[in-house]
Structures are given as C-alpha cells and as structure tokens.
Amino acid sequence: MRRADRRPGMLMRGVTGTYTRTQMILHWVSALLLFSLFSLGYYMTGLPKGAPGKGQWVNLHKSLGLTAALVIAWRVVVRLHRPAPAPLAGLRCWEAELARITHRLLYMCMVVMPLSGYLGSSFNQYGTRFWGIPLPRWGRVDSALQHLFYTLHGMTAYLLLGLVVLHVAAVVKHQWFDAQRCMQRMLPRRHEHAP
C-alpha cells in the first residue's frame, strides 16, 4: 500500500527505477564475497600460529579478497557511468541522507580493505599469491609497516561489517515495515499478472 500523505520532512520523488542487470549481479557477487571473507577471516584468525592448514586458509582469504577488489573496481567504473536510481519515494530527508552517507562509506571500505590487506602482505616474508600466481611485493620485509596495514585492514573490516548490518537493517525496515518494495530494485523484474 502506498502512502498518499506528504508529511513534513519527507523526500517525495517520482517513480523510482531499478538498478541495471550488471549492477544487480555485481551487488550480489560482492555480497557473497564479503560474507565468505568475513567468515573465513573470523575462522583463520582464531587458529593458532603454525596450525596445520592455516597457510592455505590465509592464501584462500587473500585470493578471495583480491577477487573482491576486482569486482569492487568494476562496480566503481559502472557506478561512474550509470548512477544509482533515485531514492525510494516517501523517504524522510534524514533517511535519504543517511543512505547516501552509508553507501559512500561502504564503497570506501570495500576499496580500503583489500588494498590494505595486499599492502600488509607486501611487507611480510610470505607475499601474496592470487589463486596460485605470485604477485609483486611493494617493499622489503618490514614488521612495522606490515602491522600498520594489517591494523588498518582489521579496523576497516569491523567498520564495513557494521555498515553492512546497518544496510541490511534499513532494507528490512523499508521492505517489511514500510512496504516500500526496496528489494525489488535489486532483483530482476518479473512480469506481474493482473488480478
């Protein structure tokens, strides 16, 4: 049911469009990669140093992280050429502004996190392998720089996780409590049959 009232402080827009199919695919691939990276990161950091198989888990995490970086770079390029559709009709001004800030921070974290992880690996003795292919190291072994970049990597991961939780909570609110059908904007359109 659509709300017909125009209460003060609400941002009223016309009919809002959906994202393109490419944007939808990149969004859901990013979500799957982030879920995998958070789960794997939590698991492998809980393993003791020198635990059997830990090296393989770390290499898998690095490969998935760099894959996510490529997907994010693709998303940024697509976003520059095709802006997101207008905000949902009926959003309050503060909700639209919070959504804008949250999305910008999400993109910032998705760029900083893989970059800081890769740079941290460049200053340790192991380096980085991308699905088995050794990548160039950007410096000598330096424990201070390694610690700096890994700390940034970890802090960004916590910030990103918090932003993802906020993003999902907003979707739940708008989709099921406000009946604004926001999920349909990120799903392929299906033909609706008349009653």
Side-chain angles (χ1 to χ4, degrees):
M1 175 181 289
R2 290 185 178 178
R3 298 178 178 180
D5 58 320
R6 290 178 177 262
R7 292 175 297 199
M10 293 189 74
L11 180 70
M12 300 303 292
R13 298 274 181 126
V15 177
T16 56
T18 60
Y19 291 87
T20 65
R21 188 171 295 275
T22 300
Q23 289 172 318
M24 292 178 193
I25 291 170
L26 291 172
H27 173 272
W28 293 112
V29 169
S30 299
L32 180 61
L33 284 168
L34 288 176
F35 177 79
S36 301
L37 285 163
F38 281 132
S39 302
L40 186 55
Y42 178 78
Y43 172 73
M44 71 181 198
T45 53
L47 295 174
K49 189 174 182 178
K54 184 171 182 177
Q56 285 80 4
W57 289 118
V58 171
N59 284 326
L60 176 60
H61 182 80
K62 291 178 181 180
S63 294
L64 285 173
L66 289 173
T67 301
L70 294 174
V71 173
I72 299 310
W74 190 3
R75 285 187 70 173
V76 170
V77 170
V78 170
R79 186 68 175 266
L80 291 174
H81 287 85
R82 177 70 181 250
L88 287 168
L91 282 186
R92 294 173 178 85
C93 290
W94 69 265
E95 289 178 314
E97 185 64 16
L98 181 60
R100 186 184 67 83
I101 293 170
T102 300
H103 278 93
R104 288 190 176 184
L105 287 173
L106 279 166
Y107 272 91
M108 182 195 74
C109 288
M110 288 189 294
V111 170
V112 170
M113 196 164 70
L115 183 60
S116 59
Y118 176 54
L119 288 173
S121 294
S122 292
F123 291 102
N124 70 16
Q125 60 185 351
Y126 303 108
T128 303
R129 288 180 173 272
F130 182 56
W131 302 113
I133 302 169
L135 297 181
R137 291 167 58 173
W138 299 103
R140 65 194 183 284
V141 175
D142 189 320
S143 58
L145 285 173
Q146 176 191 339
H147 178 72
L148 173 67
F149 284 116
Y150 280 165
T151 300
L152 177 61
H153 184 70
M155 291 172 61
T156 307
Y158 282 114
L159 176 58
L160 180 58
L161 183 58
L163 291 167
V164 168
V165 170
L166 180 62
H167 180 66
V168 172
V171 170
V172 170
K173 175 189 181 294
H174 295 306
Q175 180 76 20
W176 284 282
F177 290 91
D178 298 340
Q180 289 177 309
R181 296 170 59 84
C182 64
M183 279 286 290
Q184 282 72 8
R185 288 156 54 96
M186 197 52 79
L187 295 171
R189 290 189 177 185
R190 291 179 293 185
H191 295 293
E192 295 183 4
H193 299 286

